[in-house]
PDB file of all heavy atoms in Angstrom:
ATOM      1  N   LEU A  20      12.440   2.085  23.518  1.00  0.00           N
ATOM      2  CA  LEU A  20      12.133   0.637  23.538  1.00  0.00           C
ATOM      3  C   LEU A  20      12.647  -0.139  22.313  1.00  0.00           C
ATOM      4  O   LEU A  20      12.453   0.297  21.248  1.00  0.00           O
ATOM      5  CB  LEU A  20      10.567   0.487  23.510  1.00  0.00           C
ATOM      6  CG  LEU A  20      10.090  -0.968  23.586  1.00  0.00           C
ATOM      7  CD1 LEU A  20      10.309  -1.559  24.911  1.00  0.00           C
ATOM      8  CD2 LEU A  20       8.486  -0.943  23.215  1.00  0.00           C
ATOM      9  N   HIS A  24      13.845  -7.245  18.248  1.00  0.00           N
ATOM     10  CA  HIS A  24      13.847  -8.615  18.339  1.00  0.00           C
ATOM     11  C   HIS A  24      12.471  -9.233  18.089  1.00  0.00           C
ATOM     12  O   HIS A  24      12.401 -10.514  17.863  1.00  0.00           O
ATOM     13  CB  HIS A  24      14.124  -9.013  19.881  1.00  0.00           C
ATOM     14  CG  HIS A  24      13.083  -8.543  20.792  1.00  0.00           C
ATOM     15  ND1 HIS A  24      12.998  -7.060  21.185  1.00  0.00           N
ATOM     16  CD2 HIS A  24      12.041  -9.095  21.456  1.00  0.00           C
ATOM     17  CE1 HIS A  24      12.052  -6.942  22.014  1.00  0.00           C
ATOM     18  NE2 HIS A  24      11.435  -8.149  22.219  1.00  0.00           N
ATOM     19  N   PHE A  25      11.478  -8.538  17.779  1.00  0.00           N
ATOM     20  CA  PHE A  25      10.090  -9.067  17.331  1.00  0.00           C
ATOM     21  C   PHE A  25      10.210  -9.422  15.957  1.00  0.00           C
ATOM     22  O   PHE A  25      10.938  -8.654  15.084  1.00  0.00           O
ATOM     23  CB  PHE A  25       9.048  -7.939  17.599  1.00  0.00           C
ATOM     24  CG  PHE A  25       8.706  -7.842  18.992  1.00  0.00           C
ATOM     25  CD1 PHE A  25       8.828  -6.485  19.556  1.00  0.00           C
ATOM     26  CD2 PHE A  25       8.174  -8.754  19.737  1.00  0.00           C
ATOM     27  CE1 PHE A  25       8.470  -6.215  20.783  1.00  0.00           C
ATOM     28  CE2 PHE A  25       7.713  -8.457  21.090  1.00  0.00           C
ATOM     29  CZ  PHE A  25       7.978  -7.281  21.685  1.00  0.00           C
ATOM     30  N   THR A  29       4.659  -8.936  13.882  1.00  0.00           N
ATOM     31  CA  THR A  29       4.549  -8.669  15.379  1.00  0.00           C
ATOM     32  C   THR A  29       5.109  -7.342  15.803  1.00  0.00           C
ATOM     33  O   THR A  29       4.422  -6.587  16.473  1.00  0.00           O
ATOM     34  CB  THR A  29       5.271  -9.804  16.174  1.00  0.00           C
ATOM     35  OG1 THR A  29       4.683 -11.058  15.868  1.00  0.00           O
ATOM     36  CG2 THR A  29       5.113  -9.544  17.665  1.00  0.00           C
ATOM     37  N   VAL A  32       2.676  -4.558  14.628  1.00  0.00           N
ATOM     38  CA  VAL A  32       1.561  -4.414  15.439  1.00  0.00           C
ATOM     39  C   VAL A  32       1.891  -3.814  16.826  1.00  0.00           C
ATOM     40  O   VAL A  32       1.201  -2.885  17.269  1.00  0.00           O
ATOM     41  CB  VAL A  32       0.891  -5.762  15.675  1.00  0.00           C
ATOM     42  CG1 VAL A  32      -0.326  -5.690  16.671  1.00  0.00           C
ATOM     43  CG2 VAL A  32       0.314  -6.265  14.355  1.00  0.00           C
ATOM     44  N   VAL A  33       2.905  -4.275  17.456  1.00  0.00           N
ATOM     45  CA  VAL A  33       3.281  -3.752  18.777  1.00  0.00           C
ATOM     46  C   VAL A  33       3.666  -2.307  18.679  1.00  0.00           C
ATOM     47  O   VAL A  33       3.172  -1.497  19.448  1.00  0.00           O
ATOM     48  CB  VAL A  33       4.528  -4.511  19.299  1.00  0.00           C
ATOM     49  CG1 VAL A  33       5.163  -3.834  20.462  1.00  0.00           C
ATOM     50  CG2 VAL A  33       4.206  -6.033  19.660  1.00  0.00           C
ATOM     51  N   GLU A  34       4.442  -1.903  17.571  1.00  0.00           N
ATOM     52  CA  GLU A  34       4.750  -0.498  17.467  1.00  0.00           C
ATOM     53  C   GLU A  34       3.622   0.411  17.205  1.00  0.00           C
ATOM     54  O   GLU A  34       3.517   1.373  17.839  1.00  0.00           O
ATOM     55  CB  GLU A  34       5.856  -0.311  16.474  1.00  0.00           C
ATOM     56  CG  GLU A  34       7.220  -0.837  16.818  1.00  0.00           C
ATOM     57  CD  GLU A  34       8.354  -0.550  15.722  1.00  0.00           C
ATOM     58  OE1 GLU A  34       7.979  -0.231  14.675  1.00  0.00           O
ATOM     59  OE2 GLU A  34       9.436  -0.631  16.236  1.00  0.00           O
ATOM     60  N   VAL A  36       0.386  -0.038  17.990  1.00  0.00           N
ATOM     61  CA  VAL A  36      -0.455  -0.071  19.154  1.00  0.00           C
ATOM     62  C   VAL A  36       0.237   0.912  20.181  1.00  0.00           C
ATOM     63  O   VAL A  36      -0.505   1.781  20.814  1.00  0.00           O
ATOM     64  CB  VAL A  36      -0.620  -1.405  19.770  1.00  0.00           C
ATOM     65  CG1 VAL A  36      -1.279  -1.419  21.130  1.00  0.00           C
ATOM     66  CG2 VAL A  36      -1.574  -2.267  18.898  1.00  0.00           C
ATOM     67  N   ILE A  37       1.536   0.857  20.359  1.00  0.00           N
ATOM     68  CA  ILE A  37       2.181   1.623  21.341  1.00  0.00           C
ATOM     69  C   ILE A  37       2.107   3.058  20.929  1.00  0.00           C
ATOM     70  O   ILE A  37       1.806   4.040  21.617  1.00  0.00           O
ATOM     71  CB  ILE A  37       3.654   1.269  21.523  1.00  0.00           C
ATOM     72  CG1 ILE A  37       3.725  -0.046  22.223  1.00  0.00           C
ATOM     73  CG2 ILE A  37       4.489   2.382  22.207  1.00  0.00           C
ATOM     74  CD1 ILE A  37       5.142  -0.675  22.415  1.00  0.00           C
ATOM     75  N   ALA A  40      -1.307   4.699  21.524  1.00  0.00           N
ATOM     76  CA  ALA A  40      -1.619   4.813  23.002  1.00  0.00           C
ATOM     77  C   ALA A  40      -0.628   5.556  23.886  1.00  0.00           C
ATOM     78  O   ALA A  40      -0.861   5.902  24.969  1.00  0.00           O
ATOM     79  CB  ALA A  40      -1.983   3.444  23.644  1.00  0.00           C
ATOM     80  N   ASP A  42       1.811   4.094  25.167  1.00  0.00           N
ATOM     81  CA  ASP A  42       1.994   3.305  26.252  1.00  0.00           C
ATOM     82  C   ASP A  42       2.919   2.174  25.931  1.00  0.00           C
ATOM     83  O   ASP A  42       2.602   1.173  25.270  1.00  0.00           O
ATOM     84  CB  ASP A  42       0.611   2.764  26.637  1.00  0.00           C
ATOM     85  CG  ASP A  42       0.450   1.891  27.913  1.00  0.00           C
ATOM     86  OD1 ASP A  42       1.564   1.553  28.395  1.00  0.00           O
ATOM     87  OD2 ASP A  42      -0.604   1.737  28.504  1.00  0.00           O
ATOM     88  N   LEU A  43       4.170   2.220  26.464  1.00  0.00           N
ATOM     89  CA  LEU A  43       5.188   1.227  26.140  1.00  0.00           C
ATOM     90  C   LEU A  43       4.858  -0.152  26.834  1.00  0.00           C
ATOM     91  O   LEU A  43       5.435  -1.148  26.419  1.00  0.00           O
ATOM     92  CB  LEU A  43       6.490   1.776  26.646  1.00  0.00           C
ATOM     93  CG  LEU A  43       7.116   2.901  26.067  1.00  0.00           C
ATOM     94  CD1 LEU A  43       8.295   3.515  26.904  1.00  0.00           C
ATOM     95  CD2 LEU A  43       7.370   2.830  24.622  1.00  0.00           C
ATOM     96  N   ASP A  44       4.018  -0.237  27.809  1.00  0.00           N
ATOM     97  CA  ASP A  44       3.718  -1.584  28.347  1.00  0.00           C
ATOM     98  C   ASP A  44       2.939  -2.409  27.531  1.00  0.00           C
ATOM     99  O   ASP A  44       3.017  -3.613  27.784  1.00  0.00           O
ATOM    100  CB  ASP A  44       2.750  -1.168  29.676  1.00  0.00           C
ATOM    101  CG  ASP A  44       3.524  -0.625  30.807  1.00  0.00           C
ATOM    102  OD1 ASP A  44       4.729  -0.605  30.819  1.00  0.00           O
ATOM    103  OD2 ASP A  44       2.796  -0.059  31.719  1.00  0.00           O
ATOM    104  N   TYR A  45       2.465  -2.077  26.400  1.00  0.00           N
ATOM    105  CA  TYR A  45       1.782  -3.009  25.521  1.00  0.00           C
ATOM    106  C   TYR A  45       2.901  -3.852  24.847  1.00  0.00           C
ATOM    107  O   TYR A  45       2.524  -4.955  24.357  1.00  0.00           O
ATOM    108  CB  TYR A  45       1.136  -2.226  24.307  1.00  0.00           C
ATOM    109  CG  TYR A  45      -0.231  -1.750  24.584  1.00  0.00           C
ATOM    110  CD1 TYR A  45      -0.658  -0.419  24.810  1.00  0.00           C
ATOM    111  CD2 TYR A  45      -1.254  -2.719  24.724  1.00  0.00           C
ATOM    112  CE1 TYR A  45      -1.831  -0.084  25.137  1.00  0.00           C
ATOM    113  CE2 TYR A  45      -2.547  -2.411  25.039  1.00  0.00           C
ATOM    114  CZ  TYR A  45      -2.940  -1.024  25.218  1.00  0.00           C
ATOM    115  OH  TYR A  45      -4.115  -0.628  25.560  1.00  0.00           O
ATOM    116  N   ALA A  46       4.170  -3.553  24.964  1.00  0.00           N
ATOM    117  CA  ALA A  46       5.169  -4.473  24.408  1.00  0.00           C
ATOM    118  C   ALA A  46       5.209  -5.802  25.167  1.00  0.00           C
ATOM    119  O   ALA A  46       5.572  -6.838  24.579  1.00  0.00           O
ATOM    120  CB  ALA A  46       6.639  -3.772  24.532  1.00  0.00           C
ATOM    121  N   THR A  47       4.802  -5.792  26.271  1.00  0.00           N
ATOM    122  CA  THR A  47       4.809  -7.077  27.137  1.00  0.00           C
ATOM    123  C   THR A  47       3.433  -7.479  27.458  1.00  0.00           C
ATOM    124  O   THR A  47       3.186  -8.617  27.856  1.00  0.00           O
ATOM    125  CB  THR A  47       5.610  -6.867  28.451  1.00  0.00           C
ATOM    126  OG1 THR A  47       5.001  -5.779  29.168  1.00  0.00           O
ATOM    127  CG2 THR A  47       6.974  -6.710  28.201  1.00  0.00           C
ATOM    128  N   ASP A  48       2.379  -6.575  27.099  1.00  0.00           N
ATOM    129  CA  ASP A  48       1.010  -7.002  27.377  1.00  0.00           C
ATOM    130  C   ASP A  48       0.305  -7.626  26.232  1.00  0.00           C
ATOM    131  O   ASP A  48      -0.608  -8.521  26.456  1.00  0.00           O
ATOM    132  CB  ASP A  48       0.220  -5.658  27.688  1.00  0.00           C
ATOM    133  CG  ASP A  48      -1.182  -5.912  28.303  1.00  0.00           C
ATOM    134  OD1 ASP A  48      -1.309  -6.858  29.096  1.00  0.00           O
ATOM    135  OD2 ASP A  48      -2.037  -5.117  27.962  1.00  0.00           O
ATOM    136  N   LEU A  49       0.712  -7.416  24.946  1.00  0.00           N
ATOM    137  CA  LEU A  49       0.129  -7.974  23.827  1.00  0.00           C
ATOM    138  C   LEU A  49       0.470  -9.421  23.549  1.00  0.00           C
ATOM    139  O   LEU A  49       1.606  -9.906  23.913  1.00  0.00           O
ATOM    140  CB  LEU A  49       0.487  -7.210  22.582  1.00  0.00           C
ATOM    141  CG  LEU A  49      -0.147  -5.806  22.360  1.00  0.00           C
ATOM    142  CD1 LEU A  49       0.551  -5.012  21.439  1.00  0.00           C
ATOM    143  CD2 LEU A  49      -1.617  -5.981  22.044  1.00  0.00           C
ATOM    144  N   VAL A  50      -0.424 -10.185  23.056  1.00  0.00           N
ATOM    145  CA  VAL A  50      -0.225 -11.666  22.777  1.00  0.00           C
ATOM    146  C   VAL A  50      -0.593 -11.933  21.435  1.00  0.00           C
ATOM    147  O   VAL A  50      -1.705 -11.567  20.946  1.00  0.00           O
ATOM    148  CB  VAL A  50      -1.035 -12.541  23.709  1.00  0.00           C
ATOM    149  CG1 VAL A  50      -0.715 -14.015  23.375  1.00  0.00           C
ATOM    150  CG2 VAL A  50      -0.697 -12.154  25.200  1.00  0.00           C
ATOM    151  N   MET A  51       0.389 -12.413  20.619  1.00  0.00           N
ATOM    152  CA  MET A  51      -0.008 -12.791  19.187  1.00  0.00           C
ATOM    153  C   MET A  51       0.992 -13.802  18.621  1.00  0.00           C
ATOM    154  O   MET A  51       2.053 -14.016  19.350  1.00  0.00           O
ATOM    155  CB  MET A  51       0.019 -11.544  18.250  1.00  0.00           C
ATOM    156  CG  MET A  51       1.339 -10.819  18.184  1.00  0.00           C
ATOM    157  SD  MET A  51       1.227  -9.117  17.521  1.00  0.00           S
ATOM    158  CE  MET A  51       1.080  -8.308  19.142  1.00  0.00           C
ATOM    159  N   ASP A  52       0.789 -14.418  17.555  1.00  0.00           N
ATOM    160  CA  ASP A  52       1.656 -15.375  16.853  1.00  0.00           C
ATOM    161  C   ASP A  52       1.948 -14.874  15.477  1.00  0.00           C
ATOM    162  O   ASP A  52       1.196 -14.545  14.706  1.00  0.00           O
ATOM    163  CB  ASP A  52       0.969 -16.779  16.879  1.00  0.00           C
ATOM    164  CG  ASP A  52       1.786 -17.732  16.082  1.00  0.00           C
ATOM    165  OD1 ASP A  52       2.772 -18.266  16.606  1.00  0.00           O
ATOM    166  OD2 ASP A  52       1.522 -18.048  14.837  1.00  0.00           O
ATOM    167  N   GLY A 142      -8.863  -8.904  19.424  1.00  0.00           N
ATOM    168  CA  GLY A 142      -9.741  -8.745  20.565  1.00  0.00           C
ATOM    169  C   GLY A 142      -9.026  -7.923  21.546  1.00  0.00           C
ATOM    170  O   GLY A 142      -8.267  -8.524  22.402  1.00  0.00           O
ATOM    171  N   LEU A 143      -9.321  -6.601  21.615  1.00  0.00           N
ATOM    172  CA  LEU A 143      -8.701  -5.656  22.615  1.00  0.00           C
ATOM    173  C   LEU A 143      -9.889  -4.905  23.189  1.00  0.00           C
ATOM    174  O   LEU A 143      -9.591  -3.702  23.387  1.00  0.00           O
ATOM    175  CB  LEU A 143      -7.736  -4.785  21.800  1.00  0.00           C
ATOM    176  CG  LEU A 143      -6.501  -5.522  21.195  1.00  0.00           C
ATOM    177  CD1 LEU A 143      -5.751  -4.643  20.294  1.00  0.00           C
ATOM    178  CD2 LEU A 143      -5.619  -6.115  22.322  1.00  0.00           C
ATOM    179  N   PRO A 144     -10.887  -5.478  23.771  1.00  0.00           N
ATOM    180  CA  PRO A 144     -11.942  -4.609  24.442  1.00  0.00           C
ATOM    181  C   PRO A 144     -11.376  -4.111  25.689  1.00  0.00           C
ATOM    182  O   PRO A 144     -10.368  -4.763  26.376  1.00  0.00           O
ATOM    183  CB  PRO A 144     -13.042  -5.592  24.686  1.00  0.00           C
ATOM    184  CG  PRO A 144     -12.322  -6.958  24.645  1.00  0.00           C
ATOM    185  CD  PRO A 144     -11.201  -6.835  23.706  1.00  0.00           C
ATOM    186  N   VAL A 145     -11.749  -2.943  26.215  1.00  0.00           N
ATOM    187  CA  VAL A 145     -11.297  -2.244  27.423  1.00  0.00           C
ATOM    188  C   VAL A 145     -12.333  -2.395  28.478  1.00  0.00           C
ATOM    189  O   VAL A 145     -13.541  -2.333  28.185  1.00  0.00           O
ATOM    190  CB  VAL A 145     -10.882  -0.881  27.032  1.00  0.00           C
ATOM    191  CG1 VAL A 145     -12.144  -0.069  26.570  1.00  0.00           C
ATOM    192  CG2 VAL A 145     -10.273  -0.133  28.151  1.00  0.00           C
ATOM    193  N   GLY A 146     -11.872  -2.359  29.762  1.00  0.00           N
ATOM    194  CA  GLY A 146     -12.803  -2.252  30.835  1.00  0.00           C
ATOM    195  C   GLY A 146     -12.414  -3.185  32.051  1.00  0.00           C
ATOM    196  O   GLY A 146     -11.617  -4.136  31.933  1.00  0.00           O
ATOM    197  N   ALA A 150     -13.579  -7.663  30.337  1.00  0.00           N
ATOM    198  CA  ALA A 150     -12.455  -7.565  29.365  1.00  0.00           C
ATOM    199  C   ALA A 150     -11.425  -8.523  29.552  1.00  0.00           C
ATOM    200  O   ALA A 150     -11.056  -9.140  28.520  1.00  0.00           O
ATOM    201  CB  ALA A 150     -11.903  -6.097  29.476  1.00  0.00           C
ATOM    202  N   VAL A 151     -10.861  -8.661  30.718  1.00  0.00           N
ATOM    203  CA  VAL A 151      -9.744  -9.668  30.871  1.00  0.00           C
ATOM    204  C   VAL A 151     -10.177 -11.040  30.517  1.00  0.00           C
ATOM    205  O   VAL A 151      -9.612 -11.803  29.881  1.00  0.00           O
ATOM    206  CB  VAL A 151      -9.248  -9.559  32.308  1.00  0.00           C
ATOM    207  CG1 VAL A 151      -8.376 -10.670  32.667  1.00  0.00           C
ATOM    208  CG2 VAL A 151      -8.429  -8.259  32.369  1.00  0.00           C
ATOM    209  N   LYS A 154     -10.826 -11.804  26.824  1.00  0.00           N
ATOM    210  CA  LYS A 154      -9.570 -11.845  26.080  1.00  0.00           C
ATOM    211  C   LYS A 154      -8.863 -13.294  26.399  1.00  0.00           C
ATOM    212  O   LYS A 154      -8.180 -13.919  25.514  1.00  0.00           O
ATOM    213  CB  LYS A 154      -8.769 -10.686  26.314  1.00  0.00           C
ATOM    214  CG  LYS A 154      -9.171  -9.495  25.626  1.00  0.00           C
ATOM    215  CD  LYS A 154      -8.347  -8.247  25.979  1.00  0.00           C
ATOM    216  CE  LYS A 154      -8.560  -7.488  27.233  1.00  0.00           C
ATOM    217  NZ  LYS A 154      -8.082  -6.262  27.315  1.00  0.00           N
ATOM    218  N   ALA A 155      -9.023 -13.684  27.787  1.00  0.00           N
ATOM    219  CA  ALA A 155      -8.420 -14.961  28.184  1.00  0.00           C
ATOM    220  C   ALA A 155      -9.201 -16.082  27.285  1.00  0.00           C
ATOM    221  O   ALA A 155      -8.571 -17.051  26.904  1.00  0.00           O
ATOM    222  CB  ALA A 155      -8.516 -15.250  29.603  1.00  0.00           C
ATOM    223  N   ARG A 158      -7.900 -16.352  23.775  1.00  0.00           N
ATOM    224  CA  ARG A 158      -6.626 -17.060  23.690  1.00  0.00           C
ATOM    225  C   ARG A 158      -6.828 -18.509  23.851  1.00  0.00           C
ATOM    226  O   ARG A 158      -6.244 -19.428  23.209  1.00  0.00           O
ATOM    227  CB  ARG A 158      -5.611 -16.531  24.736  1.00  0.00           C
ATOM    228  CG  ARG A 158      -5.147 -15.072  24.441  1.00  0.00           C
ATOM    229  CD  ARG A 158      -4.005 -14.715  25.347  1.00  0.00           C
ATOM    230  NE  ARG A 158      -4.379 -14.465  26.736  1.00  0.00           N
ATOM    231  CZ  ARG A 158      -4.848 -13.456  27.226  1.00  0.00           C
ATOM    232  NH1 ARG A 158      -5.141 -12.402  26.372  1.00  0.00           N
ATOM    233  NH2 ARG A 158      -5.272 -13.358  28.488  1.00  0.00           N
ATOM    234  N   ALA A 164      -5.370 -14.843  16.683  1.00  0.00           N
ATOM    235  CA  ALA A 164      -5.803 -13.547  17.467  1.00  0.00           C
ATOM    236  C   ALA A 164      -4.603 -12.720  17.796  1.00  0.00           C
ATOM    237  O   ALA A 164      -3.497 -13.118  17.953  1.00  0.00           O
ATOM    238  CB  ALA A 164      -6.520 -13.973  18.690  1.00  0.00           C
ATOM    239  N   VAL A 165      -4.996 -11.458  18.000  1.00  0.00           N
ATOM    240  CA  VAL A 165      -4.222 -10.404  18.699  1.00  0.00           C
ATOM    241  C   VAL A 165      -4.984 -10.122  19.934  1.00  0.00           C
ATOM    242  O   VAL A 165      -6.155  -9.709  19.834  1.00  0.00           O
ATOM    243  CB  VAL A 165      -3.978  -9.192  17.892  1.00  0.00           C
ATOM    244  CG1 VAL A 165      -3.271  -8.147  18.765  1.00  0.00           C
ATOM    245  CG2 VAL A 165      -3.183  -9.564  16.603  1.00  0.00           C
ATOM    246  N   SER A 166      -4.432 -10.210  21.094  1.00  0.00           N
ATOM    247  CA  SER A 166      -5.185  -9.884  22.400  1.00  0.00           C
ATOM    248  C   SER A 166      -4.095  -9.309  23.364  1.00  0.00           C
ATOM    249  O   SER A 166      -2.968  -9.109  22.998  1.00  0.00           O
ATOM    250  CB  SER A 166      -5.746 -11.091  22.950  1.00  0.00           C
ATOM    251  OG  SER A 166      -4.795 -12.046  23.475  1.00  0.00           O
ATOM    252  N   ASN A 167      -4.564  -8.903  24.538  1.00  0.00           N
ATOM    253  CA  ASN A 167      -3.650  -8.494  25.540  1.00  0.00           C
ATOM    254  C   ASN A 167      -4.209  -9.038  26.760  1.00  0.00           C
ATOM    255  O   ASN A 167      -5.335  -9.424  27.088  1.00  0.00           O
ATOM    256  CB  ASN A 167      -3.529  -6.962  25.593  1.00  0.00           C
ATOM    257  CG  ASN A 167      -4.730  -6.229  25.997  1.00  0.00           C
ATOM    258  OD1 ASN A 167      -5.812  -6.498  25.565  1.00  0.00           O
ATOM    259  ND2 ASN A 167      -4.591  -5.361  27.015  1.00  0.00           N
ATOM    260  N   VAL A 168      -3.317  -8.964  27.801  1.00  0.00           N
ATOM    261  CA  VAL A 168      -3.671  -9.651  29.123  1.00  0.00           C
ATOM    262  C   VAL A 168      -4.305  -8.791  30.118  1.00  0.00           C
ATOM    263  O   VAL A 168      -5.121  -9.235  30.907  1.00  0.00           O
ATOM    264  CB  VAL A 168      -2.290 -10.227  29.769  1.00  0.00           C
ATOM    265  CG1 VAL A 168      -2.574 -10.747  31.224  1.00  0.00           C
ATOM    266  CG2 VAL A 168      -1.505 -11.182  28.906  1.00  0.00           C
ATOM    267  N   SER A 169      -4.142  -7.505  30.129  1.00  0.00           N
ATOM    268  CA  SER A 169      -4.590  -6.512  30.991  1.00  0.00           C
ATOM    269  C   SER A 169      -6.051  -6.147  30.677  1.00  0.00           C
ATOM    270  O   SER A 169      -6.614  -6.370  29.615  1.00  0.00           O
ATOM    271  CB  SER A 169      -3.739  -5.343  31.281  1.00  0.00           C
ATOM    272  OG  SER A 169      -3.759  -4.611  30.202  1.00  0.00           O
ATOM    273  N   GLU A 170      -6.643  -5.147  31.630  1.00  0.00           N
ATOM    274  CA  GLU A 170      -7.813  -4.526  31.285  1.00  0.00           C
ATOM    275  C   GLU A 170      -7.828  -3.514  30.233  1.00  0.00           C
ATOM    276  O   GLU A 170      -8.822  -3.036  29.650  1.00  0.00           O
ATOM    277  CB  GLU A 170      -8.335  -3.833  32.622  1.00  0.00           C
ATOM    278  CG  GLU A 170      -8.731  -4.737  33.747  1.00  0.00           C
ATOM    279  CD  GLU A 170      -7.573  -4.852  34.657  1.00  0.00           C
ATOM    280  OE1 GLU A 170      -6.412  -4.526  34.284  1.00  0.00           O
ATOM    281  OE2 GLU A 170      -7.815  -5.393  35.795  1.00  0.00           O
ATOM    282  N   LYS A 171      -6.516  -3.085  29.773  1.00  0.00           N
ATOM    283  CA  LYS A 171      -6.414  -2.096  28.841  1.00  0.00           C
ATOM    284  C   LYS A 171      -6.836  -2.447  27.440  1.00  0.00           C
ATOM    285  O   LYS A 171      -6.931  -3.698  27.224  1.00  0.00           O
ATOM    286  CB  LYS A 171      -4.831  -1.708  28.693  1.00  0.00           C
ATOM    287  CG  LYS A 171      -4.379  -0.957  29.998  1.00  0.00           C
ATOM    288  CD  LYS A 171      -3.018  -0.360  29.684  1.00  0.00           C
ATOM    289  CE  LYS A 171      -1.943  -1.602  29.381  1.00  0.00           C
ATOM    290  NZ  LYS A 171      -0.639  -1.013  29.357  1.00  0.00           N
ATOM    291  N   GLY A 172      -7.048  -1.477  26.610  1.00  0.00           N
ATOM    292  CA  GLY A 172      -7.512  -1.827  25.164  1.00  0.00           C
ATOM    293  C   GLY A 172      -8.172  -0.501  24.681  1.00  0.00           C
ATOM    294  O   GLY A 172      -7.868   0.548  25.042  1.00  0.00           O
ATOM    295  N   GLY A 173      -9.165  -0.741  23.853  1.00  0.00           N
ATOM    296  CA  GLY A 173      -9.993   0.335  23.352  1.00  0.00           C
ATOM    297  C   GLY A 173      -9.950   0.471  21.825  1.00  0.00           C
ATOM    298  O   GLY A 173      -9.296  -0.269  21.097  1.00  0.00           O
ATOM    299  N   VAL A 176      -6.428   1.384  19.913  1.00  0.00           N
ATOM    300  CA  VAL A 176      -5.451   0.363  19.797  1.00  0.00           C
ATOM    301  C   VAL A 176      -5.855  -0.738  18.947  1.00  0.00           C
ATOM    302  O   VAL A 176      -5.110  -1.463  18.346  1.00  0.00           O
ATOM    303  CB  VAL A 176      -4.923  -0.140  21.192  1.00  0.00           C
ATOM    304  CG1 VAL A 176      -4.388   0.896  22.025  1.00  0.00           C
ATOM    305  CG2 VAL A 176      -6.156  -0.755  21.953  1.00  0.00           C
TER     306      VAL A 176
END
Side-chain angles (χ1 to χ4, degrees):
L20 178 71
H24 61 286
F25 288 117
T29 300
V32 172
V33 168
E34 289 187 339
V36 166
I37 290 173
D42 187 345
L43 298 175
D44 288 343
Y45 274 111
T47 54
D48 192 37
L49 288 165
V50 180
M51 68 197 87
D52 175 78
L143 297 170
V145 61
V151 168
K154 289 180 280 194
R158 290 190 293 275
V165 174
S166 68
N167 71 307
V168 176
S169 73
E170 295 94 345
K171 294 189 296 187
V176 297

